[in-house]
């Protein structure tokens, strides 16, 4: 058989080196080509990761057993001999950028699996890669200032079982540098500066939201095939909003990154919420941030929980069988006694605050005319169980009031307690808060509650002074809410509102707070809907198709109203006409719909629907191994079949 | 060391005196130690008594019987415990005083100070086990002391367990009265009522509260505690507790599509496949967070303090009930929160068209459970039709309770399925479940139980039999220790028991004899077992004596009653014989009839108002005792 010359560029020889010419015959298999190539370079090194990339056809020649003939390679082919794993800059859900090696030759689905294995993220099928928003290149110097975590030296291990070392996967425990990376991954980052939030891209309308999803990479093709180059930046995100088998014990990174994604979705108004919900999200962020700061890296979530349960049982022991004096100490109920000013707003009275001697005992406040009268009958006794407690605080103005709404048969009694200073306020506030839940000063959470209130007060003091991001205790409440509320409220108006919401969640552990955040996020009406601009068959205008984990939603573009909902459970079949790029779906009862995608590739839409159907199959098969084949069957295009 | 020993033996004596004096009072039997009767404590007693008396005033006879069953169970449990403790103690350290004394002292104030709140001192705590190894005597005593204090603390806690006597109206016009303890859930109460009424255990049965002032009705959720909401009723309330079938209680789990796909037309939803329904439930109730039906639409809202109702576009979210203000979009950011659900409950309303000029009669309100009267803090809402109202009320319940509702439903379904097949055995099963680990003492009592049961039957025909009265005033108050204020708890409860006529009026059918045969006298229900076995067990008077030992005051007077088990036998024997012919109880019968007469004549439909309870009252005296103990301990340490 006639020999001919094949031109191959070997990247490792340097950018300026001329391509090598090797003499081959058409029946030489790819493995043979590589062998000849390596011999010719005279370079002694590990070539095992290298493979041939056929640039004109944009495809890898990975089947070493195939002959050149079978691959269709002729003398005019320009091949490149290049490593399959290259560094990639990954934008993580928490906003950090991580440099690490990823596979450029396998389908993106598998590449993501590899990345997730390194990052210790379970259930990689829920994540995928997307192209970043095109930044307006106004300032080029900005790139250099970007903080970069580097994991490129970490070898990609094949085994899926991760040995733990120091509470983290062994490959992170190698050096302080990689330990820092793991900390970044598994502990939520401090709140960003409000200006930073305001500067980031926010979708302003549902149309903008449809653009986000046009950027997803195709899971069935490789990175190289999709034009991704070495050192390019891609975003790693949770793509399918069904989070299977979430277990805080094993999912430190997954939970943290999911929380970060949710947090940013809320801060950047990707998902709409009400003001009340925003305040609660803000409070949870504050709490999570504070808990994360105080947390040692090694004792990550699981350590905390263990510790917590240990403390709990210790507590029980103390009550149950500590020595008798301890028990006796515990039995003498503590009280608060102090002078407070009380104000009961009534119609048509102009009376202001009046000072009384107040005693807080069990869940009640009794007040007396003076300290000397304290052994007599109180003027009134207020049982706070079930009441609403709201702060009315202005640190700058030295106003520390507690507003109580105490339910009574006739309605609610409104009473204000005015405290002298922060210390007094935090003690009484904490007591009121516990009492409203039926707990007494005896409760173990009292001290931490007092402390929480104090740190929160200090926030108000420093909020105007420290515009930078959260460093220690000081934090700007503006960094906890989306720009809309930054504009709507000044920090000193915002802080009390967040404080109010904060009181209900202050007792949560770090993990429970994160879970709570995710729970509320998932309960939002618009949660988990990915939007695409489509044009339905027979319609003359663009509409929005929302894809959620259980249904498709047709949304009117102008008004934003839901026009129609179809559930996957009623879906008979769906298919794609790749020639006219149209998705056709048939539902029970002879309902047929068909649409083409306006701004996204219809492969993305097709993959989304197939992906969700794949996700729903996971519940049945409990095995850990991922059914990759099924995924591609459900999401692949005509090429895959 | 000596100090504390002395103190404990003091307490022991006091205890002995008290129990004996009680026994004597009821039986007029010779007692080993003649009681000395101090004044102040007597006062205490009568306070407790009259209060209780008054509150029970309007109960009917059979209610009293039912109640008595409960109380007897409590008492006998307490007695058993005393006896066991005493035995263990006597066996191991004769010098030591009765461990249960301090607690009994402590728990008394709680019961005497509240109206209808009976305080049970039947602690679930295990009795201090006799030390198995043979440590030095000192260690032993140390140990015993620690145990005693522990017991004291447990009893203290137990003493705070609030109980209410609740009259539940049934739709056919009849009613059942039962005692509900604050740890019991509504589900327990429903199960209890099932057993009493032998109805089908349909999942739709719902315990509701009605408020005639506000014309509202709310079905309690199965996981709620019943005592808590009832405690917030006012004293003169006309509120009622009723049990009835409410179809909407769990409709969302039978036909989730009607709630979660409410926008679709109902015809197409009608024949949804079971599989699809299950999937809907799975999606909405089994995920990380419960999905609330995406309800939205126009409702009428009564304006604050005005008579007018205004239409608003409302939206339900997991975080609360919102409306979109005029001229704004439905976007989340523009919504105004009307109310969040943490502190409020949702109530169906009746005839608001007349009462508040509502556009329709399909109204519901949201309010704190404590609010009992018209108030600006109540949110009044009105829907176009009944189905819309059901939709919103159910949606709000889902938002408020989340997955708990689904769990309740599943438990109810299990119960209903179980009751169908096991109806006949349910009584036995449930009551025996409540006696998981009978102490030897209890077992001894078991042996005698069958006979008492028979006795009861014999006497049950004599409905007219006057109650064996142990009147408060005549009760010899406990021994005088000025330092230890209140008398032990046993007396108060026994008093109450003596108040009532013995069980006879109970219909025979309600307690089949077979179960009785192998069932011990109801021991204190363990905390996790929330059923109230005593409710349907006949309270045979002899039971007190057979299991109680010395502390038992009840009718049959037997000198040997003060001794633990063997005398018990005699006791009950005499008790069995005694009832029919002449009432053996010596104390003047006058007070008792007085108590029962009004009960018969005053037939109030409304359940007597549960009073706001103040269990904390137990604390001060507890503090006294505890601080004494503490000083004693400290002294001991310094030695």
């Amino acid at each position: 058989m006639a020999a001919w010359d094949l031109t191959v560029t070997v990247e490792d020889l340097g950018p300026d080196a001329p391509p090598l010419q090797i003499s081959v015959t058409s029946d030489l298999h790819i493995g043979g080509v590589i062998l000849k190539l390596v011999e010719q370079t005279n370079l002694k090194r590990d070539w095992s990761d290298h493979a041939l990339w056929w640039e004109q056809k944009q495809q890898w020649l990975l089947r070493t057993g195939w002959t050149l003939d079978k691959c269709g390679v002729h003398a005019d082919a320009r091949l490149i001999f290049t490593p399959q794993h290259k560094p990639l800059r990954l934008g993580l859900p928490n906003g950090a950028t991580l440099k690490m090696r990823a596979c450029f030759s396998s389908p993106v689905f598998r590449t993501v699996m590899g990345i997730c294995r390194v990052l210790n993220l379970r259930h990689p099928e829920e994540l995928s890669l997307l192209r970043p928003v095109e930044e307006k290149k106004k300032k080029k110097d900005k790139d250099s200032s970007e903080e970069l975590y580097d994991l490129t030296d970490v070898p990609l291990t094949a085994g899926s079982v991760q040995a733990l070392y120091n509470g983290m996967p062994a490959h992170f425990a190698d050096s302080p540098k990689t330990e820092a990376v793991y900390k970044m991954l598994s502990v939520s980052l401090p709140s960003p500066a409000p200006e930073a939030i305001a500067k980031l891209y926010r979708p302003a309308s549902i149309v903008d939201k449809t653009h986000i999803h046009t950027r997803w990479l195709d899971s069935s093709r490789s990175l190289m095939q999709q034009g991704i180059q070495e050192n390019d930046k891609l975003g790693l995100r949770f793509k399918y909003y069904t989070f299977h088998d979430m277990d805080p014990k094993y999912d430190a990174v997954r939970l943290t990154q999911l929380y970060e994604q949710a947090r940013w979705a809320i801060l950047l108004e990707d998902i709409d919420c009400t003001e009340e919900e925003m305040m609660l999200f803000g409070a949870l962020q504050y709490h999570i941030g504070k808990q994360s700061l105080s947390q040692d890296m090694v004792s990550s979530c699981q350590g905390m929980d263990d510790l917590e349960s240990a403390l709990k049982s210790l507590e029980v022991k103390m009550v149950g069988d500590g020595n008798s004096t301890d028990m006796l100490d515990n039995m003498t109920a503590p009280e608060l006694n102090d002078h407070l000013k009380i104000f009961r707003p009534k119609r048509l009275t102009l009376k202001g605050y009046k000072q009384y001697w107040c005693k807080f005992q069990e869940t009640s406040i009794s007040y007396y005319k003076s300290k000397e009268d304290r052994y007599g009958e109180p003027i009134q006794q207020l049982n706070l169980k079930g009441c609403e407690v709201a702060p009315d605080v202005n640190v700058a103005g030295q106003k520390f009031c507690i507003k109580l709404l105490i339910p009574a048969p006739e309605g609610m009694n409104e009473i204000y307690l005015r405290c002298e200073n922060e210390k007094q306020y935090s003690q009484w506030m904490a007591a009121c808060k516990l009492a409203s839940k039926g707990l007494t000063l005896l409760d173990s959470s009292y001290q931490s509650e007092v402390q929480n209130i104090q740190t929160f007060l200090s926030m108000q003091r420093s909020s105007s002074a420290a515009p930078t991001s959260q460093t220690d205790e000081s934090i700007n409440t503006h960094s906890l809410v989306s720009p809309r509320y930054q504009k709507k409220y000044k920090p000193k108006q915002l802080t009390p509102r967040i404080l109010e919401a904060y009181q209900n969640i202050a007792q949560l552990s770090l993990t429970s707070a994160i879970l709570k955040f995710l729970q509320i996020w998932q309960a939002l009406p618009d949660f988990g809907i990915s939007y695409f601009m489509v044009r339905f068959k027979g319609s003359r205008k663009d509409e929005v198709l929302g894809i959620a984990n259980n249904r498709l939603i047709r949304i009117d573009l102008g008004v934003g109203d839901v026009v129609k909902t179809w559930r996957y459970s009623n879906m008979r079949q769906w298919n794609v006409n790749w020639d006219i790029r149209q998705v056709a779906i048939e539902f029970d009862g002879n309902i047929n719909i068909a649409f083409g995608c306006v701004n996204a590739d219809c492969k993305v839409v097709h993959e989304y629907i197939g992906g969700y159907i794949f996700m729903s199959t996971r519940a049945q098969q409990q095995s850990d191994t991922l059914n990759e084949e099924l995924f591609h069957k459900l999401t692949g295009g005509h090429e895959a079949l | 060391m000596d100090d504390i020993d002395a103190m404990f033996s003091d307490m022991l004596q006091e205890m002995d005196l008290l129990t004996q004096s009680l026994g004597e009072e009821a039986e007029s039997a010779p007692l080993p130690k003649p009681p000395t009767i101090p004044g102040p404590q007597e006062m205490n007693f009568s306070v407790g008594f009259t209060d209780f008396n008054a509150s029970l005033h309007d109960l009917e006879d059979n209610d009293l019987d039912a109640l008595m069953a409960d109380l007897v169970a409590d008492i006998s449990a307490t007695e058993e415990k005393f006896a066991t403790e005493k035995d263990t103690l006597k066996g191991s350290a004769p010098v030591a005083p009765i461990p249960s004394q301090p607690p009994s002292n402590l728990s008394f104030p709680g019961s005497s100070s509240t109206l209808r709140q009976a305080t049970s001192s039947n602690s679930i705590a295990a009795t201090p086990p006799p030390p198995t190894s043979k440590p030095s005597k000192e260690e032993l005593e140390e140990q015993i002391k620690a145990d005693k204090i522990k017991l004291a603390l447990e009893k203290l806690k137990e003493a705070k367990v609030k109980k209410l006597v609740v009259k539940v109206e049934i739709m056919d016009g009849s009613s059942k009265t039962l005692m509900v303890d604050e740890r019991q859930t509504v589900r327990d109460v429903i199960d209890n009522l099932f057993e009493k009424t032998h109805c089908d255990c349909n999942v739709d049965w719902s315990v509701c509260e009605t408020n005639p002032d506000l014309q509202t009705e709310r079905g309690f959720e199965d996981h709620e505690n019943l005592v808590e909401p009832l405690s917030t009723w006012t004293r003169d309330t006309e509120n009622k507790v009723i049990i009835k079938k409410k179809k909407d209680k769990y409709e969302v789990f039978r036909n989730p599509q009607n709630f979660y796909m409410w926008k679709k037309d109902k015809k197409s939803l009608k024949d949804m496949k079971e599989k699809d329904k299950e999937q809907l439930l799975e999606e909405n109730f089994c995920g990380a967070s419960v999905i609330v039906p995406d309800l939205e639409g126009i409702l009428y809202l009564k304006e604050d303090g005005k008579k007018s109702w205004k239409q608003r576009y409302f939206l339900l979210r997991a975080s609360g009930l919102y409306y979109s203000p005029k001229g704004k979009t439905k976007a989340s950011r523009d919504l105004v929160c009307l109310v969040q659900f943490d502190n409020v409950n949702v109530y169906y309303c009746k005839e608001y068209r007349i009462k508040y000029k509502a556009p329709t009669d399909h109204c519901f309100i949201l309010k704190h459970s404590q609010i009992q009267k018209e108030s600006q803090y109540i949110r009044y809402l009105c829907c176009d039709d009944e189905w819309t109202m059901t939709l919103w009320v159910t949606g709000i319940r889902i938002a408020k309770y989340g997955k708990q509702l689904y769990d309740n439903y599943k438990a109810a379904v299990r119960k209903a399925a179980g009751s169908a097949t096991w109806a006949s055995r349910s009584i036995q099963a449930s009551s025996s479940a409540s006696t998981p680990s009978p102490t030897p003492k209890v077992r001894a009592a078991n042996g005698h139980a069958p006979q008492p049961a028979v006795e009861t039957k014999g006497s049950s025909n004599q409905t007219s039999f006057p109650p064996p009265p142990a009147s408060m005033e005549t009760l010899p108050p406990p021994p005088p220790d000025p330092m230890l204020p209140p008398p032990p708890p046993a007396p108060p409860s026994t008093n109450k028991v003596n108040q009532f006529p013995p069980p006879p009026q109970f219909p025979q059918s309600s307690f089949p004899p077979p179960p009785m045969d192998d069932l011990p006298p109801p021991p204190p229900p363990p905390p996790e077992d929330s059923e109230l076995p005593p409710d349907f067990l006949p309270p045979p008077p002899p039971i007190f004596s057979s299991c109680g030992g010395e502390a038992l005051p009840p009718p049959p007077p037997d000198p040997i009653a003060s001794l633990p088990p063997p005398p018990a036998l005699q006791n009950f024997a005499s008790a069995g014989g005694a009832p029919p012919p002449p009432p053996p109880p010596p104390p003047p019968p006058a007070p008792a009839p007085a108590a029962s007469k009004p009960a018969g004549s005053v037939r109030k439909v409304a359940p007597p108002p549960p009073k706001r309870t103040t269990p904390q009252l137990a604390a001060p005296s507890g503090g006294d005792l505890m601080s004494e103990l503490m000083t004693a301990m400290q002294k001991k340490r310094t030695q």
Side-chain angles (χ1 to χ4, degrees), chain B residues 234-281:
Chain B
T234 51
R235 226 186 146 147
D236 52 346
T237 187
E238 298 274 313
N239 291 7
K240 285 183 208 171
V241 176
I242 59 176
I243 182 164
K244 67 177 198 179
K245 283 189 187 174
K246 280 179 83 99
K247 197 168 170 286
D248 65 297
K249 185 181 184 186
Y250 289 130
E251 180 63 13
V252 64
F253 301 111
R254 277 187 298 255
N255 288 302
Q257 74 281 7
N258 291 339
F259 294 83
Y260 282 93
M261 300 159 78
W262 58 278
K263 281 177 194 159
K264 302 216 169 178
D265 94 284
K266 271 198 135 183
K267 254 184 234 155
S268 65
L269 296 175
K270 209 171 172 188
D271 27 55
M272 191 173 200
K273 281 173 267 170
E274 282 304 314
K275 205 190 86 207
D276 290 337
K277 290 184 189 177
E278 267 167 45
Q279 201 191 336
L280 261 182
L281 289 178

Side-chain angles (χ1 to χ4, degrees), chain B residues 119-286:
Chain B
T119 312
S120 75
S121 57
N122 48 329
S123 150
I124 353 92
T127 53
T132 40
S133 63
K134 297 260 169 184
S136 73
K137 199 185 167 209
E138 232 166 85
E139 275 176 343
L140 207 77
E141 279 171 6
E142 252 337 79
Q143 171 68 31
I144 289 164
K145 239 165 260 162
D147 285 344
K148 276 181 280 184
I149 294 174
K150 203 200 296 180
L151 203 75
L153 291 171
E154 276 160 2
K155 295 235 166 177
L156 200 63
K157 261 186 219 157
E158 191 70 18
K160 287 189 183 179
V161 172
K162 202 194 284 180
K163 287 193 173 185
L164 285 184
V165 176
V166 179
K167 182 156 139 188
V168 182
E169 263 184 36
I170 303 166
M171 286 319 272
D172 62 7
S174 65
S175 71
K176 293 275 169 196
T177 303
L178 56 158
M179 181 173 277
V180 184
D181 131 359
E182 67 176 334
R183 294 167 300 192
Q184 281 183 301
T185 62
V186 170
R187 181 77 242 161
D188 299 328
V189 174
I190 292 177
D191 289 349
N192 208 343
L193 283 163
F194 282 169
E195 262 150 19
K196 281 188 160 192
T197 56
H198 304 289
C199 67
D200 63 329
C201 299
N202 192 297
V203 296
D204 288 339
W205 283 108
S206 175
V207 174
C208 313
E209 78 172 314
T210 60
N211 180 327
D213 265 354
L214 288 168
Q215 300 175 7
T216 57
E217 176 179 309
R218 173 169 94 92
F220 293 114
E221 304 298 344
D222 284 356
H223 67 277
E224 285 184 86
N225 287 326
L226 189 58
V227 168
E228 204 185 324
L230 298 195
S231 317
T232 63
W233 288 5
T234 51
R235 226 186 146 147
D236 52 346
T237 187
E238 298 274 313
N239 291 7
K240 285 183 208 171
V241 176
I242 59 176
I243 182 164
K244 67 177 198 179
K245 283 189 187 174
K246 280 179 83 99
K247 197 168 170 286
D248 65 297
K249 185 181 184 186
Y250 289 130
E251 180 63 13
V252 64
F253 301 111
R254 277 187 298 255
N255 288 302
Q257 74 281 7
N258 291 339
F259 294 83
Y260 282 93
M261 300 159 78
W262 58 278
K263 281 177 194 159
K264 302 216 169 178
D265 94 284
K266 271 198 135 183
K267 254 184 234 155
S268 65
L269 296 175
K270 209 171 172 188
D271 27 55
M272 191 173 200
K273 281 173 267 170
E274 282 304 314
K275 205 190 86 207
D276 290 337
K277 290 184 189 177
E278 267 167 45
Q279 201 191 336
L280 261 182
L281 289 178
E282 167 94 24
E283 276 170 16
N284 292 298
F285 285 92
C286 303

Side-chain angles (χ1 to χ4, degrees), chain A residues 436-459:
Chain A
S436 73
K437 291 180 209 141
L439 302 172
T440 66
L441 297 172
L442 264 178
D443 196 83
S444 53
S445 59
Y446 175 65
Q447 279 313 325
S448 63
E449 186 84 46
V450 172
Q451 234 150 44
N452 282 333
I453 294 171
Q454 272 169 352
T455 44
F456 214 94
L457 285 178
S458 64
M459 235 167 81

Side-chain angles (χ1 to χ4, degrees), chain A residues 252-272:
Chain A
V253 178
R254 187 168 167 225
L255 209 54
T256 308
Q257 295 304 318
L258 185 57
Y259 158 70
E260 290 281 356
Q261 185 166 333
R263 181 231 290 231
W264 281 103
I266 283 155
L267 288 180
L268 296 181
E269 293 160 20
D270 271 352
I271 181 164
D272 251 353

Side-chain angles (χ1 to χ4, degrees), chain A residues 274 277 325 388 409 484 550, chain B residues 283 319 322 333 368 372 637:
Chain A
T274 64
E277 286 155 355
T325 349
E388 286 175 27
R484 174 175 297 121
N550 57 359
Chain B
E283 276 170 16
S319 59
Y322 294 81
R333 54 176 178 270
H368 280 248
Q372 302 288 320
R637 228 188 283 142

Side-chain angles (χ1 to χ4, degrees), chain A residues 9 70 74 142 168 222 304 356 376 382-383 407 454 520 539 541 568 618-619 630:
Chain A
T9 311
K70 194 170 179 185
H74 301 289
K142 234 203 132 194
M168 64 184 90
S222 70
M304 266 305 264
Y356 293 97
L382 312 162
N383 192 343
Q454 272 169 352
I520 304 172
S539 169
K541 56 176 186 190
Y568 297 149
R618 293 180 301 175
L630 179 64

Side-chain angles (χ1 to χ4, degrees), chain B residues 354-369:
Chain B
I354 298 166
K355 188 175 169 74
Y356 290 124
K357 296 200 168 90
T360 77
D361 266 338
H362 311 292
C363 297
F364 65 91
I365 60 169
L366 291 152
K367 69 170 182 78
H368 280 248
S369 62

